[in-house]
Amino acid sequence: MEYTEIMVRYGELSTKGRNRKAFINQLGRNVRNTLHAFPNVKVQAHRDRMHLKLNGEPSQPIIAALKPVFGIQTFSPAIQVEKELSVIYQTAIEMVKERYEEGQTFKITTKRADREFLLDTRELNREIGHAVIEAIPGIQAQMKQPDIDVRVDIRHNGAFLSSEMFHGAGGLPVGSSGKSVLMLSGGIDSPVAGYLAMKRGVELEMVHFYSPPYTSEAALNKAKDLTVKLTPYVGSIQFITVPFTEIQEAIKKEVPPGYLMTITRRFMLRLTDAIREQRKALAIFNGESLGQVASQTLESMVAINDVTNTPILRPLISTDKTEIIKLAEEIDTFDLAIQPFEDCCTIFAPPQPKTKPKLEKCIQYEQRLDVEGLIERALASITIEEINSRDQFLQAKEEDFTDLL
Ligand code: ATP
Ligand code: MG
């Protein structure tokens, strides 16, 4: 069926009172951004619904592209026809035929905004139902939980028919909760933390530390590829690379092994916070989960967190590794994340990092280092690039569109 529009129902943003308009506008921008490859689509955002007029653009890839957009609860592709009874009957018949399998049931549900229309909703349900039964031998009407549920909406500007409803991604439109930076490694956890942050409406820029020549180009590319996996939720993401070699070498030289990890993390956080400020972002997200490794005990967090007052948000703090892996599989970052490239943290990792580091000791050891100079030089050589989605939805296949509600 070649649909003419898609009707989008908002999720949680309906409850946001005076902010509602800003939320809807943000969602409108995100949808336009996501559908940039379909220039003829017209997005009309109203208070209760959003209508996407397809203007000849293909509905299947657009449906696939809408699925990851946060802020959408459900959406239904619809076809607009003239308000002619014979045309409405014919369209309903085609719609049912396209999906009908032997033994299935159907139902017609009509809504009528146009009170002047020839028939009322009861008559319309009955007449369209009859037309379908006559055209498809053996099909049965069923009011409760029919297999095929055709909705007919008689509006002033035409009749709209739909029979499919897709789940949206839920959450809040990305950008509606402000901007933050995500500390993105090449591991399993941080991309999942990023996904969860975006789901609550946060626009993210990625901060990635790398230490050439100790870490390879492949490790850097892996972090970028993980970022690509998160672009369907937003369109494009700024990826900030921070050269970390000089700092890691200096720490290695001056700091006792037990405190290498803690002090390395304190530098990472200082740098991330400075970048956050430059980029006018509000908070820092990371992929920490309580107790997962030595740097993620409460004692470590106290010692590391001490370098800033900026909120550090940890969406995964209470999730088990198995739960994180499940999410990583759902967002398709798992297979990439488990590729074995060395991360800058593992390269210099001591065999036994302190799980209960003392803040006074960190401060004491850092006096051996030119903290300011090291930070300044690293900041002077960061690079920023925009990572775009690789239009993966344009190649989406037929079987991706089957999750009917
Ligand atoms: P992940 O699975 O995300 O790599 P991890 O299991 O490797 O995390 P850690 O190495 O302890 O755990 O890292 C904890 C968090 O610190 C990461 O989730 C990430 O937010 C941040 N982090 C670690 N390494 C880097 C890096 N090279 N660049 C940016 N952030 C990093
Ligand atoms: Mg981790």
Side-chain angles (χ1 to χ4, degrees), residues 157-220:
N157 57 338
F160 295 78
L161 288 89
S162 63
S163 68
E164 286 184 291
M165 195 193 281
F166 296 94
H167 284 290
L172 303 174
V174 174
S176 65
S177 300
K179 187 161 96 170
S180 291
V181 292
L182 170 72
M183 298 175 74
L184 179 84
S185 67
I188 298 167
D189 305 325
S190 41
V192 175
Y195 164 80
L196 292 173
M198 289 198 240
K199 185 165 188 202
R200 294 311 295 171
V202 180
E203 180 194 347
L204 287 179
E205 295 195 357
M206 306 307 180
V207 175
H208 178 74
F209 293 85
Y210 81 135
S211 296
Y214 305 106
T215 60
S216 64
E217 191 74 15
L220 177 61

Side-chain angles (χ1 to χ4, degrees), residues 182-191 207-210 265 268 285-288 292-293 295-296 321 343-345:
L182 170 72
M183 298 175 74
L184 179 84
S185 67
I188 298 167
D189 305 325
S190 41
V207 175
H208 178 74
F209 293 85
Y210 81 135
R265 297 281 168 176
M268 276 186 164
F285 281 79
N286 70 25
E288 290 176 338
Q292 194 189 71
V293 287
S295 61
Q296 296 169 31
K321 196 77 193 188
D343 185 79
C344 64
C345 295

